[in-house]
Amino acid sequence: MTWRTPMASVLAAGMFAASALGTAAAAADSPPIALSTSEGGTLPIAATEKVYAESADLYGEVARTGIALYADLAATREPIRWRLAADGRTLFAMMQPEDALYGKDAEVKLADLTGDGLPEVLIYRNGIGSGGAQGLSVYRPADGWKPLLELVDPRLKGSAGKDRYAVSYLGGGELAFEDKTTKLKGTIKLDVRRYDEDQAKSEAAFRKIEAWVDPVSGYGLGDDEGDGVLEITAVQRVIGVSHPDTIARIETKYKLKDGAYVQVAETLCDAEGHPLQAVEIPGY
């Protein structure tokens, strides 16, 4: 599907068009992106569906701005891109990533992440696979629709690629877990008879567990420092002997630094979310 183009390049084009947007009036004057064109040329768009519509005070001007998210679809009904519009004017487009296939439906939420009383726009795109992958894009309307976070690929493979994680059975229902990219190491403790009342059979199943970490499937917002600036936490499942078998969770925390959200910590948790081991990610 050669019509896909990298997210960053399309966002750059869209953000250039929206760079002067600081008020609702400016948004109304911005030029819309042509329906079927992008940096890569003509796109095979067969249909367009509105997947979200709402009105809100985005700029602190009392007047409410109508925002809408559209999915441009191929003839196969697969989304090619999503376009965000304010008061009928397209601000920017988000392309379907090459390696992360999202369904057309997306969720849009408004939340004051920066603590200034004005909302940021959070766009969640959901994967169509069994892993429940969910991407997140965060924009700040009051600052020209500046992107604060672009988690395009929720698999978070990092520099170690598919070999990023390692799991080994220690015995007694304990599994050693390692993230080779962040150097996070911890022990996952489970009932030794988790997989069979016959302990020998259960432990045989433990020894077959491989390093299987699902993509990010959810996000949490919190204010750990109590300063009104929210952190974003991405949650991934660590899988046991089969996909429904969640044995632990990985939580990656993002903080707002110098106008963008960056990774600052990773925590290995048990299946209920209780922390087991954490590591800071300086400059990651």
Side-chain angles (χ1 to χ4, degrees), residues 18-283:
S19 62
L21 299 180
T23 65
D29 294 334
S30 65
I33 296 176
L35 181 62
S36 299
T37 62
S38 75
E39 290 176 305
T42 301
L43 300 174
I45 296 172
T48 297
E49 291 188 13
K50 182 185 291 185
V51 296
Y52 172 84
E54 182 62 273
S55 63
D57 179 7
L58 301 179
Y59 307 102
E61 298 177 344
V62 181
R64 300 177 71 84
T65 300
I67 56 176
L69 186 67
Y70 298 89
D72 290 331
L73 310 176
T76 59
R77 305 294 295 172
E78 178 186 347
I80 296 173
R81 69 180 181 187
W82 294 258
R83 291 180 291 115
L84 188 73
D87 286 337
R89 297 282 188 175
T90 297
L91 301 179
F92 53 81
M94 300 180 296
M95 299 299 294
Q96 175 76 280
E98 184 68 37
D99 298 324
L101 188 62
Y102 294 120
K104 72 175 178 66
D105 292 326
E107 303 171 51
V108 180
K109 297 181 180 179
L110 304 180
D112 179 11
L113 303 184
T114 60
D116 64 352
L118 298 176
E120 276 64 54
V121 176
L122 292 74
I123 303 176
Y124 300 84
R125 290 185 291 169
N126 301 309
I128 60 175
S130 61
Q134 189 176 64
L136 174 60
S137 301
V138 179
Y139 301 96
R140 178 170 166 76
D143 192 12
W145 289 87
K146 177 182 178 180
L148 302 185
L149 174 66
E150 281 295 332
L151 207 162
V152 177
D153 184 355
R155 292 169 298 182
L156 295 185
K157 289 298 185 184
S159 60
K162 66 179 181 179
D163 299 320
R164 172 171 179 168
Y165 306 105
V167 172
S168 60
Y169 185 51
L170 302 175
E174 295 187 350
L175 289 160
F177 177 89
E178 179 183 3
D179 181 339
K180 299 176 184 178
T181 297
T182 64
K183 310 305 180 184
L184 172 66
K185 295 182 180 180
T187 301
I188 302 169
K189 299 181 180 180
L190 303 170
D191 184 346
V192 73
R193 291 183 171 82
R194 180 181 181 90
Y195 300 115
D196 199 291
E197 284 301 316
D198 184 326
Q199 183 172 332
K201 292 181 179 179
S202 183
E203 292 206 81
F206 271 108
R207 293 187 180 92
K208 294 180 180 179
I209 293 176
E210 299 179 346
W212 184 357
V213 177
D214 258 2
V216 175
S217 56
Y219 300 86
L221 303 178
D223 185 3
D224 292 347
E225 299 179 3
D227 58 1
V229 180
L230 303 189
E231 299 86 26
I232 299 174
T233 300
V235 180
Q236 297 172 269
R237 297 169 59 229
V238 181
I239 309 303
V241 298
S242 63
H243 198 224
D245 181 28
T246 303
I247 60 173
R249 290 166 44 170
I250 297 175
E251 298 186 354
T252 303
K253 182 174 292 186
Y254 296 77
K255 282 191 175 183
L256 189 62
K257 290 188 175 183
D258 300 322
Y261 274 93
V262 296
Q263 292 179 330
V264 295
E266 183 184 49
T267 303
L268 176 67
C269 304
D270 65 18
E272 285 71 44
H274 303 117
L276 300 175
Q277 190 68 41
V279 64
E280 294 184 355
I281 311 177

